[in-house]
């Protein structure tokens, strides 16, 4: 995924250093430390200019709606959950209609790059959840079995991945000689992001959070900030 046309990439004094670190990944054969330095510099650059950080990132709105809905399915079932969130028109519809209806419900209007990234992260996560699912009943069972903490963690993993590749996919492509090298490099970067977040993510009690209100959005924003801080504090010895 390259930088979306029509949007300006982040700026700030940390950005040139981040781009140099991305170039150095290729020079170091995408070693763990070179990937770590690139992602860490990227996290610091986003803090400096606010890209993909805080309330403007839309991650709180998208994430809270999804986690809240999963909790409803677990407690009152898919059909009642659809009624509860105002999607009664999807009751009795096909799996495809329900799935895309939920994606629209979770998503923000894509007026900014931050909103595009949050929406894309949710779409990628939901697509993984849907692999092998062909019936509404199976979809309901999967949603009912999801752990809200793990779902939120995986959404934030996707969010960091999409944010990084939105800015650097084209550059990484240009640094690799063959498509196989590009695919391998992307997988190595994703693996680094996934491992760092999975190993350092703090599980919290979700039962008293109002996912429809400000507290739900604020909680997701807080967890997102904690995830970025994992990479800000990263050191070479962490690989």
């Amino acid at each position: 995924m390259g930088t979306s046309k029509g949007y300006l990439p982040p700026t700030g004094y940390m950005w040139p250093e981040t781009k140099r670190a991305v170039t150095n990944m290729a020079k170091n054969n995408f070693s763990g430390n070179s990937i770590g330095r690139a992602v860490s510099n990227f996290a610091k650059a986003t803090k400096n200019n606010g890209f993909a950080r805080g309330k403007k990132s839309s991650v709180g709105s998208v994430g809270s709606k999804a986690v809240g809905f999963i909790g409803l399915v677990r407690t009152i079932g898919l059909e009642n959950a659809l009624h509860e969130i105002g999607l009664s028109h999807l009751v009795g519809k096909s799996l495809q209609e329900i799935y895309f209806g939920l994606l629209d419900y979770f998503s923000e209007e894509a007026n900014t790059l931050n909103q595009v990234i949050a929406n894309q992260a949710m779409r990628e996560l939901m697509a993984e959840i849907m692999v092998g699912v062909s019936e509404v009943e199976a979809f309901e069972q999967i949603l009912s079995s999801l752990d809200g903490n793990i779902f939120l963690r995986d959404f934030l993993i996707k969010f960091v991945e999409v944010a990084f590749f939105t800015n650097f996919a084209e550059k990484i492509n240009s640094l690799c000689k063959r498509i196989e090298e590009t695919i391998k490099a992307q997988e190595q970067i994703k693996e680094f992001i996934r491992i760092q977040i999975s190993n350092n993510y703090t599980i919290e009690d979700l039962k008293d959070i109002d996912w429809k209100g400000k507290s739900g959005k604020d909680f997701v924003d807080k967890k997102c900030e904690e995830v970025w801080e994992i990479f800000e504090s990263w050191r070479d010895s962490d690989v």
Side-chain angles (χ1 to χ4, degrees):
M1 183 177 182
T3 302
S4 301
K5 293 181 179 179
Y7 296 107
L8 293 175
T11 57
Y13 76 95
M14 287 292 298
W15 209 243
E17 185 175 344
T18 303
K19 290 190 283 189
R20 283 193 294 271
V22 171
T23 300
N24 286 333
M25 286 194 300
K27 292 181 179 179
N28 289 278
N29 199 30
F30 294 93
S31 67
N33 280 332
S34 68
I35 293 173
R37 285 189 286 272
V39 179
S40 180
N41 280 332
F42 177 63
K44 293 170 185 175
T46 63
K47 185 173 185 178
N48 173 249
N49 60 33
F51 174 76
R53 303 287 284 256
K55 292 178 174 55
K56 292 182 179 180
S57 71
S58 295
V59 70
S61 178
V62 174
S64 61
K65 282 187 285 188
V67 176
F69 181 74
I70 289 170
L72 286 174
V73 174
R74 190 184 307 114
T75 56
I76 62 177
L78 177 60
E79 184 174 317
N80 289 327
L82 290 172
H83 284 302
E84 181 71 18
I85 64 171
L87 297 181
S88 299
H89 64 283
L90 293 178
V91 174
K93 298 296 185 179
S94 68
L95 174 61
Q96 185 178 37
E97 289 173 298
I98 294 172
Y99 174 69
F100 286 109
L102 285 172
L103 284 181
D104 287 341
Y105 169 73
F106 297 153
S107 299
E108 290 276 277
E109 290 188 19
N111 295 321
T112 69
L113 182 54
N114 284 329
Q115 290 170 327
V116 170
I117 290 170
N119 292 345
Q120 181 64 23
M122 182 57 67
R123 288 178 182 273
E124 290 188 12
L125 178 57
M126 290 297 293
E128 289 185 1
I129 291 172
M130 284 293 290
V131 172
V133 179
S134 58
E135 302 291 339
V136 173
E137 292 76 11
F139 183 50
E140 180 174 10
Q141 289 178 355
I142 288 176
L143 293 180
S144 298
S145 67
L146 290 175
D147 181 305
N149 265 300
I150 303 304
F151 180 87
L152 178 55
R153 181 201 68 188
D154 290 347
F155 169 57
L156 295 176
I157 289 173
K158 290 292 184 186
F159 182 73
V160 173
E161 288 177 0
V162 175
F164 186 83
F165 285 113
T166 294
N167 288 279
F168 298 117
E170 291 180 6
K171 187 171 184 64
I172 292 169
N173 289 345
S174 70
L175 293 170
C176 296
K177 296 179 180 179
R178 300 188 304 275
I179 185 62
E180 294 81 6
E181 291 181 16
T182 301
I183 294 172
K184 182 179 179 181
Q186 290 175 342
E187 290 305 314
Q188 288 174 293
I189 294 167
K190 289 180 180 179
E191 181 75 355
F192 173 84
I193 292 171
R194 183 188 64 78
I195 289 174
Q196 292 299 315
I197 295 177
S198 296
N199 288 348
N200 296 282
Y201 189 83
T202 304
I203 299 296
E204 298 191 40
D205 189 353
L206 306 182
K207 69 176 185 295
D208 294 326
I209 297 175
D210 176 14
W211 296 108
K212 291 183 178 180
K214 183 175 180 294
S215 63
K217 296 177 183 179
D218 288 348
F219 179 82
V220 176
D221 283 333
K222 183 195 77 165
K223 298 305 292 183
C224 186
E225 189 62 24
E226 290 176 7
V227 162
W228 282 120
E229 289 171 356
I230 291 170
F231 297 106
E232 286 177 40
S233 61
W234 180 88
R235 297 293 181 270
D236 284 9
S237 59
D238 292 340
V239 175

